[in-house]
Amino acid sequence: MKANLSLDLIVDILSRLPVKHLLCLRCVSKLWRSLIDDPDFINLHLRHSLDSRTNHTLILKNTDLHTADLASLGPFAKLEHPLMSYNHGVEIQGSCNGLLCIRNIVEDMAIWNPSTRKYQVLPFLNSCKGYVCGFGHDPIADDYKVVKIIQLGGADGKPLESEVKVCSLKRNRWRKIQDIPCVSSFPVANGVFASGALHWVLTQKLDLSEENTIVALDLATESFREVPQPEYERMIYQLNVGVLGGCLCVVANHGDARVDLWVMKEYGVKESWTILFSLVSEDVIGSLRFLKPLAYSRCGNQVLLEHDKINLFWYDLEKKKADDVWVPGMPFSYETEVCLQSLVSLNVKRRQQNGEDSREPKKMDDFLSEGFKLVL
């Protein structure tokens, strides 16, 4: 039986498939490969995965990297990375649209798509002083950028100061942007990407009692701004930022007694901060000191959290109950990162001498004119 399906229907069906199936379908024909490699289709597949909360993986980092589907949380499989060195370990500096920024012990850095196994090593930048990183997407230039905030001062009574450098896929070189008069607070954490900006909890003084500031770097304008914080009900002992469902969130720790998770429903609007839930010491085993929100469940009624780098649990927003997650083969301790499975390419257009890219990708409308047919 033969059925002529419209291109729109074919594209809609393909956009719902996992990346591993799409990579196999690229081998069907040159036409299928061109369709799946088309930037419009890649963006459509990306948007569908984000909107439907599908095609997400959870990565556990111990000595090695292990990955599993976020929906089932198992089984975990070893993930081979491209920055092999004498101890094989890497640090994940950030995740965005299916790309990971990774760094090894000798300070090599790369942007890597674990789904397609494509990667690009960044120019070497020696950072002998302390620094934090961030990785995200510039939606205006459609470019991916790595940011390093390098601490310069703060000792012997000197004012705190940090130098900021940026490397993008399109330019493929490090360049200096405006400095920032503060450094990363404790505990040191890499930037969180949300709403087109990277976010850190920074401080202008070394006094631990000093109130911390949430600072955002807009990746399009490459300018810093302060993000308004919620109206906390009690003293904050520790403040961390995260992202849930694409929204900026804050983990406010009130000692070992209670932790509040706030979500900024409308980015940049102070009044939109809402407490998603609160945890007390009786809700989990161990301290409440380190909690990292990872993702919503597909139906949206649960939140997956990492606890003290030793266990995972789902928190049910309706039942207000925490359920531990344990999968055979999980390491005893680990760091976590959620990564989307995507087809996002590292082959970004770079400026040619004439200012244009001669390799113009084929548009989806061109496939329609070829009378694309599917044989069932």
Side-chain angles (χ1 to χ4, degrees):
M1 179 181 70
K2 293 184 178 181
N4 295 340
L5 302 180
S6 69
L7 178 66
D8 288 342
L9 181 56
I10 294 169
V11 168
D12 182 66
I13 294 172
L14 293 179
S15 69
R16 301 169 185 272
L17 296 180
V19 170
K20 63 180 180 181
H21 296 329
L22 292 172
L23 294 178
C24 292
L25 290 174
R26 290 178 74 254
C27 302
V28 171
S29 69
K30 291 182 179 179
L31 193 58
W32 279 69
R33 174 177 291 188
S34 297
L35 173 61
I36 294 171
D37 289 348
D38 182 82
D40 290 337
F41 176 77
I42 291 174
N43 288 332
L44 178 66
H45 183 269
L46 176 65
R47 290 196 303 271
H48 181 270
S49 297
L50 291 171
D51 293 342
S52 62
R53 295 179 179 147
T54 56
N55 298 324
H56 286 71
T57 60
L58 179 67
I59 297 176
L60 302 185
K61 184 263 173 182
N62 188 278
T63 304
D64 299 310
L65 299 179
H66 294 81
T67 181
D69 182 76
L70 184 63
S72 60
L73 287 181
F76 281 91
K78 188 175 180 179
L79 185 62
E80 299 290 348
H81 64 81
L83 289 184
M84 300 301 290
S85 60
Y86 60 87
N87 78 338
H88 305 296
V90 291
E91 299 288 338
I92 298 176
Q93 307 297 294
S95 174
C96 180
N97 293 346
L99 302 181
L100 293 176
C101 178
I102 57 175
R103 173 181 62 88
N104 65 13
I105 195 170
V106 294
E107 294 293 325
D108 295 322
M109 296 186 73
I111 299 176
W112 170 43
N113 186 327
S115 298
T116 63
R117 300 185 181 180
K118 304 294 184 181
Y119 67 95
Q120 178 174 316
V121 177
L122 302 180
F124 183 77
L125 177 65
N126 186 18
S127 303
C128 57
K129 298 181 180 181
Y131 67 90
V132 291
C133 282
F135 173 61
H137 180 241
D138 173 356
I140 304 301
D142 191 20
D143 197 5
Y144 290 87
K145 297 180 178 181
V146 180
V147 178
K148 275 190 176 183
I149 300 180
I150 306 167
Q151 181 175 336
L152 299 178
D156 299 326
K158 296 180 180 179
L160 296 184
E161 184 181 9
S162 291
E163 182 180 77
V164 185
K165 294 190 176 182
V166 175
C167 182
S168 73
L169 275 180
K170 286 187 177 180
R171 298 194 181 193
N172 197 37
R173 63 180 176 85
W174 290 98
R175 55 192 172 83
K176 188 175 181 295
I177 63 172
Q178 70 176 101
D179 294 340
I180 183 170
C182 48
V183 297
S184 179
S185 66
F186 180 82
V188 175
N190 288 317
V192 171
F193 180 72
S195 300
L198 286 167
H199 303 80
W200 294 269
V201 177
L202 302 179
T203 182
Q204 294 181 330
K205 295 184 179 180
L206 292 179
D207 185 357
L208 294 179
S209 64
E210 185 72 19
E211 183 175 328
N212 292 320
T213 303
I214 300 176
V215 175
L217 173 64
D218 188 303
L219 289 183
T221 62
E222 295 184 351
S223 59
F224 287 97
R225 62 176 179 267
E226 183 177 346
V227 178
Q229 296 190 44
E231 292 292 340
Y232 305 115
E233 298 177 358
R234 56 179 71 184
M235 180 178 177
I236 303 296
Y237 289 91
Q238 183 179 309
L239 188 68
N240 295 309
V241 289
V243 62
L244 269 179
C247 294
L248 183 69
C249 63
V250 163
V251 180
N253 190 302
H254 306 282
D256 286 336
R258 174 178 152 185
V259 171
D260 297 329
L261 180 62
W262 295 77
V263 175
M264 190 178 235
K265 298 293 184 66
E266 185 177 352
Y267 184 75
V269 179
K270 180 181 178 68
E271 293 74 21
S272 72
W273 281 111
T274 304
I275 292 184
L276 187 64
F277 63 84
S278 298
L279 287 175
V280 295
S281 57
E282 291 78 11
D283 292 328
V284 295
I285 299 175
S287 73
L288 290 172
R289 188 164 299 174
F290 297 105
L291 282 177
K292 179 181 178 180
L294 296 173
Y296 287 107
S297 60
R298 186 170 181 180
C299 59
N301 65 340
Q302 292 182 305
V303 176
L304 182 66
L305 297 106
E306 173 200 315
H307 177 220
D308 284 349
K309 299 184 179 181
I310 57 173
N311 74 295
L312 302 170
F313 66 88
W314 285 105
Y315 183 80
D316 192 303
L317 298 174
E318 298 174 355
K319 299 179 181 178
K320 302 186 184 302
K321 179 183 176 184
D323 292 317
D324 286 340
V325 174
W326 184 83
V327 179
M330 287 178 62
F332 174 74
S333 63
Y334 45 80
E335 297 176 5
T336 55
E337 191 71 50
V338 173
C339 183
L340 188 70
Q341 298 176 45
S342 81
L343 294 164
V344 170
S345 172
L346 299 172
N347 297 323
V348 297
K349 293 183 182 179
R350 294 193 175 89
R351 296 183 180 91
Q352 306 297 318
Q353 290 183 351
N354 61 0
E356 297 179 355
D357 191 330
S358 59
R359 296 175 300 166
E360 183 68 24
K362 202 169 190 179
K363 299 298 183 183
M364 275 194 186
D365 291 344
D366 297 334
F367 294 103
L368 193 59
S369 64
E370 295 184 22
F372 189 68
K373 297 180 179 181
L374 181 67
V375 178
L376 298 178

